[in-house]
Amino acid sequence: MGLADALAAMLTNEDDLALLRRDPTALRDRFALTENELAMLAGAGPAGYRVTRRNVQAKLRRAIGGCLPVTVAHLHRHHPDLWERFASGLVRPPQPVHRHGIWESERLTDWLTARDLAPVADYARYELERAKLRRADHDRTGRDPADVLGPGTGTGTDRPLTLSSDVRILMFDHDVTAGPPLADLPVRRTHVVLHRPSPSSHLQTYRVSPGTALLLAGCDGTRTTQQLVACAASDPAAVRTALDRLMAADLVRPA
Amino acid sequence: MGTLPRLGSGLGYRAELAEDIDLHADRIDWLEVISEHFLFAREARERLRELARRFPVVPHGVELSIGSDREPDAAYLEALASLVEDVDAPWFSDHLCFTRTDEVALGLLAPLPRTRQVARRLAGRADWVRRTVGRPFLLENITYYVDLATPLTEAQFIAEVLEHCDCGLLLDVANLDINARNHGFDPLDFLDTLPLERVVQVHLAGAGEEEEMTLDTHSEAVPARVWDLLEEVVARTPVQAALIERDANFPDDFTELLDEVGRARTVLASRPAELIGGA
Ligand SMILES: [Fe+2]
């Protein structure tokens, strides 16, 4: 504890900042400051604290805006008070560089979900998953087993099927694929598959039927084609065709 | 630290400017890139390697947080060393500040208590980073709005740091101008106090005006005051590299930035040849 801890707290928490004027002894005790350190903080003019605090929030907005650009623009334009409340209450913990903005975006998404803003929360989650997938090459270590195995060998094999490494299956209560304005997102149960075929390629977005989403979810590395066909409620030939298409699109591979 | 190459006049590489930089490579001597954008991003790193075949590239960090109590993350430093090696950087740089504590990431460059003790600890840390990364390391003066009532002035603090480490100074002339105006000191006194012979590189940028203070926004053209200060610095000491920083409000006409790069090159070259150090 010391001056940097106190300053960081004062720049991220209005109450801690107020403590400097209201009860400096409490601030000193809380952060184990020396008298000299307390005097350094007390001697700085209030405008500098105000400006820096605004900058901290602007940086937060930029960090989240890099991951959830549409959501942040929408909140800023239509719910500035809500944004203000969120931004002024969030204290960011240190994160690895490649997670820049992700933790913060997760908090905003959770925060929106807990409020009566279902379409915005849905869209935030959609943008968040896209941002995470775009960063996937930062997290990946070692080779993808599928790279070693080579391309899929068709549904004729009895190897269990699994999703390709950069595939996400998501479900929303709104059709997020309609895009902004977010207040007008159609209320419609929507299944979306995101796929980033390689680190250099653009993210692919598919809107899929509930049946296809269920089939994809079944490709968890424990079931073979035969087992997936047997489990499915629909016509076996249709399920086989669907699996063939998913493999051709490289969404599914033999495990 | 030895003699460092004279890079000339460059531009901060930003995604928004990539196309224009590519088109006007003949008018830009070198590029500075934000280290964190390339540390763990394989694709971006591949593109950077291509860029480094055409320009000298210098990684400039914003998240080393050299003033934090905790020493920099080993994975970060390892990635930084690999980046610097990858682009064969003549040096790398970061800021005299802290950006985080154990609990809080501020996401911005925050001022340190300017005491001799902090300066010396930071100097030791800077030398350790320099040795770990394996290239010359420059430290940059920040813009600060909270002006802690410290025993040392900013210039005395920087001088104390430099006296105790073998690092160079990246003098952000725009930051100096902003701090001087926000906190009411004379920028020439500041220059008088610094060991100017340690300046390797300068940053130039335009600021934004807010009701309460002038802000370091990198969103405007470099103002006359900053050009004057650059001339003052160059008249006092050789400078190996100048860099225009632009991060927002990008001009529609890229030649505005090219003209600034050109003007900085002219100022650097105005120093009598016999006084120019470096290769
Ligand atoms: Fe700078």
Side-chain angles (χ1 to χ4, degrees):
Chain A
M1 298 299 258
L3 187 141
D5 293 285
L7 182 55
M10 291 159 66
L11 293 174
T12 48
N13 185 321
E14 199 69 60
D15 294 339
D16 286 331
L17 182 55
L19 213 52
L20 179 66
R21 310 286 166 210
R22 209 183 59 231
D23 190 355
T25 312
L27 189 75
R28 184 197 63 194
D29 295 347
R30 186 147 158 228
F31 293 99
L33 299 172
T34 64
E35 287 301 334
N36 280 343
E37 287 174 324
L38 182 63
M40 286 187 219
L41 290 166
Y49 287 109
R50 278 196 299 273
V51 169
T52 312
R53 205 170 138 63
R54 281 200 293 274
N55 282 353
V56 167
Q57 293 190 12
K59 296 281 188 187
L60 170 67
R61 188 171 137 201
R62 202 172 308 165
I64 299 180
C67 300
L68 317 179
V70 176
T71 306
V72 169
H74 174 85
L75 285 175
H76 193 58
R77 189 168 319 141
H78 301 288
H79 307 280
D81 49 326
L82 266 185
W83 169 261
E84 181 68 27
R85 237 167 61 211
F86 170 76
S88 61
L90 190 76
V91 179
R92 304 159 74 181
Q95 296 283 326
V97 164
H98 69 272
R99 293 267 301 161
H100 180 74
I102 295 285
W103 181 90
E104 297 83 345
S105 299
E106 286 170 345
R107 298 294 76 71
L108 177 61
T109 305
D110 292 348
W111 194 83
L112 291 168
T113 304
R115 268 149 198 85
D116 192 19
L117 278 168
V120 188
D122 258 6
Y123 203 83
R125 190 158 57 85
Y126 175 60
E127 286 198 294
L128 176 61
E129 292 300 331
R130 294 172 65 86
K132 283 182 176 173
L133 205 47
R134 261 188 246 110
R135 302 258 185 107
D137 65 320
H138 303 189
D139 294 323
R140 202 182 300 147
T141 50
R143 281 215 284 168
D144 190 319
D147 294 341
V148 182
L149 291 169
T153 48
T155 50
T157 79
D158 58 357
R159 271 161 55 197
L161 295 182
T162 185
L163 293 180
S164 295
S165 58
D166 286 337
V167 170
R168 303 287 179 274
I169 314 164
L170 309 165
M171 188 184 76
F172 302 95
D173 292 328
H174 297 78
D175 186 356
V176 292
T177 63
L182 302 192
D184 299 341
L185 281 182
V187 182
R188 179 162 59 222
R189 176 64 57 91
T190 302
H191 298 270
V192 171
V193 173
L194 301 177
H195 181 211
R196 192 178 178 214
S198 76
S200 58
S201 49
H202 286 292
L203 213 58
Q204 317 262 7
T205 306
Y206 304 92
R207 206 171 70 194
V208 299
S209 69
T212 303
L214 199 64
L215 193 57
L216 279 165
C219 297
D220 59 0
T222 66
R223 299 177 184 83
T224 62
T225 302
Q226 298 298 346
Q227 290 165 326
L228 284 162
V229 170
C231 292
S234 23
D235 164 41
V239 176
R240 275 183 195 283
T241 306
L243 282 171
D244 278 340
R245 284 202 186 124
L246 293 172
M247 289 186 85
D250 199 27
L251 297 174
V252 169
R253 297 168 174 192
Chain B
M1 198 169 51
T3 304
L4 297 177
R6 192 174 165 91
L7 296 188
S9 186
L11 183 62
Y13 182 83
R14 307 291 183 262
E16 294 87 340
L17 301 175
E19 212 169 294
D20 283 314
I21 288 173
D22 181 56
L23 285 172
H24 301 280
D26 55 325
R27 293 181 62 187
I28 302 163
D29 301 333
W30 66 285
L31 298 173
E32 187 183 78
V33 299
I34 302 300
S35 311
E36 286 78 5
H37 294 175
F38 300 94
L39 288 180
F40 301 100
R42 273 198 268 167
E43 279 305 299
R45 179 73 79 88
E46 189 46 51
R47 287 196 301 276
L48 186 63
R49 279 191 207 107
E50 301 265 314
L51 214 54
R53 286 185 203 114
R54 303 173 60 200
F55 299 89
V57 168
V58 171
H60 177 58
V62 292
E63 281 292 347
L64 180 62
S65 198
I66 195 165
S68 287
D69 285 344
R70 185 176 293 274
E71 63 184 31
D73 177 48
Y76 178 98
L77 283 184
E78 198 182 309
L80 182 57
S82 139
L83 173 66
V84 157
E85 174 87 37
D86 239 5
V87 300
D88 195 19
W91 60 76
F92 67 102
S93 56
D94 207 300
H95 302 81
L96 284 159
C97 71
F98 76 99
T99 68
R100 62 180 170 274
T101 63
D102 278 355
E103 271 87 43
V104 181
L106 289 169
L108 53 66
L109 314 173
L112 292 161
R114 297 173 299 232
T115 67
R116 288 193 195 283
Q117 191 195 359
V118 169
R120 288 176 190 187
R121 199 193 61 208
L122 194 152
R125 180 71 57 77
D127 266 340
W128 176 74
V129 167
R130 176 180 54 75
R131 285 193 302 269
T132 306
V133 173
R135 299 266 162 146
F137 180 25
L138 311 188
L139 296 161
E140 179 181 359
N141 57 307
I142 62 164
T143 301
Y144 53 93
Y145 307 98
V146 174
D147 188 18
L148 298 167
T150 53
L152 301 182
T153 64
E154 189 199 3
Q156 287 169 334
F157 178 74
I158 296 172
E160 184 74 13
V161 171
L162 293 175
E163 195 182 322
H164 291 91
C165 69
D166 192 17
C167 297
L169 180 60
L170 162 47
L171 177 63
D172 190 316
V173 184
N175 289 353
L176 167 56
D177 173 57
I178 294 168
N179 291 333
R181 292 163 70 211
N182 283 338
H183 306 303
F185 64 81
D186 182 347
L188 299 184
D189 287 347
F190 181 99
L191 295 181
D192 289 343
T193 308
L194 284 185
L196 281 180
E197 70 281 3
R198 304 288 287 278
V199 175
V200 175
Q201 183 195 327
V202 292
H203 269 170
L204 306 162
E209 297 297 334
E210 221 203 31
E211 209 176 299
E212 297 195 276
M213 284 185 168
T214 301
L215 301 185
D216 179 32
T217 52
H218 300 174
S219 62
E220 306 296 328
V222 178
R225 289 181 316 276
V226 172
W227 288 116
D228 290 346
L229 275 175
L230 175 65
E231 283 177 17
E232 183 66 35
V233 172
V234 171
R236 296 183 185 204
T237 191
V239 174
Q240 306 299 80
L243 188 106
I244 305 292
E245 292 190 289
R246 189 67 173 254
D247 285 287
N249 190 25
F250 295 101
D252 292 335
D253 184 358
F254 188 66
T255 52
E256 285 177 35
L257 293 181
L258 291 175
D259 288 347
E260 291 188 324
V261 172
R263 183 168 173 182
R265 184 185 297 115
T266 306
V267 177
L268 252 55
S270 68
R271 192 178 164 81
E274 72 271 19
L275 293 180
I276 292 176

